[in-house]
Amino acid sequence: MTSTVPALGTRTAEGSALQAVLLDMDGTLVDTEGFWWDVEVEIFAGLGHTLDESWRHIVVGGPMTRSAGFLIEATGADITLDELTLLLNEGFEGRIDHALPLMPGAARLLAELHEHGIPTALVSASHRRIIDRVLKILGTHHFALSIAGDEVSRTKPFPDPYLLAAAGLGAQPGRCAVVEDTATGVAAAEAAGCRVVAVPSVAPITPAERRTVVTSLEEVDLAFLRGLMTEMP
């Protein structure tokens, strides 16, 4: 986990301030949601089971223990949760070692936030071993800290990861903009009291109070994120 926290200083002309930006990883910054599903399909095929495509919407975006547990129960596969977790991480690492495509607009957004000294955190349900590999490609200098799913007692959809990230950056959750791609992540961010930008990757997400839905990160820049705060007291 990186520890340098930039000074807060993103006050808008209207007087409200964006204190920090908290970013999900899989499906938000890197185009890897399909990687996880492909690995799950491959592992269960080796165990003699075929995964139903409709389950993809159930397992996306959540903690590995929930997703893996669901698949074991749904298929009746003869494998423990610990064994499956190990295989999933190993299979995913093998794929990102060959290629790690960034989502459109991700590199530009990270560079802009870094250039303007915006406190930024990576908040993911993925395990630390995965996050650290991805950080090397995204650039560790883009993030003041990162929160992994296996470092909190309750990960998404609970608010804990986002509350921890906000506290680590010295920011108020209500002054943090969160960028997420799944309903699970959105639920966690909203429960923490953050403003949310949803960029749906696998399943649709509807707009709501304190939630803005866009089709791509290419629509999101610092001015956009600051604008989310201007409606707040």
Side-chain angles (χ1 to χ4, degrees), residues 3-88:
S3 59
T4 302
V5 180
L8 302 181
T10 60
R11 191 163 297 280
T12 68
E14 292 78 9
S16 57
L18 171 69
Q19 292 184 339
V21 177
L22 316 178
L23 298 152
D24 175 54
M25 187 177 77
D26 293 301
T28 299
L29 293 178
V30 289
D31 191 7
T32 52
E33 291 292 10
F35 284 15
W36 285 112
W37 180 248
D38 290 345
V39 171
E40 289 160 351
V41 168
E42 182 179 289
I43 291 172
F44 278 90
L47 296 170
H49 298 276
T50 300
L51 300 188
D52 191 311
E53 182 69 24
S54 66
W55 296 344
R56 183 171 182 174
H57 299 293
I58 299 174
V59 301
V60 68
M64 186 178 296
T65 51
R66 187 196 72 182
S67 300
F70 169 82
L71 293 175
I72 291 172
E73 182 176 355
T75 60
D78 184 19
I79 189 171
T80 68
L81 185 60
D82 287 343
E83 290 170 339
L84 179 55
T85 297
L86 178 62
L87 291 176
L88 286 170

Side-chain angles (χ1 to χ4, degrees), residues 195-206:
R195 295 300 297 255
V196 180
V197 179
V199 193
S201 62
V202 175
I205 298 174
T206 57

Side-chain angles (χ1 to χ4, degrees), residues 109-143:
L109 177 60
L110 289 175
E112 183 180 15
L113 295 175
H114 179 69
E115 178 184 355
H116 289 271
I118 307 301
T120 303
L122 186 67
V123 184
S124 175
S126 291
H127 289 186
R128 171 56 58 186
R129 60 184 287 184
I130 299 296
I131 287 180
D132 284 345
R133 294 174 87 99
V134 175
L135 277 172
K136 291 178 181 178
I137 298 171
L138 291 175
T140 56
H141 63 285
H142 286 131
F143 303 94

Side-chain angles (χ1 to χ4, degrees), residues 16 195 210 212 226-233:
S16 57
R195 295 300 297 255
R210 300 180 64 84
T212 302
R226 282 176 166 162
L228 298 177
M229 304 296 155
T230 62
E231 304 170 2
M232 299 174 57

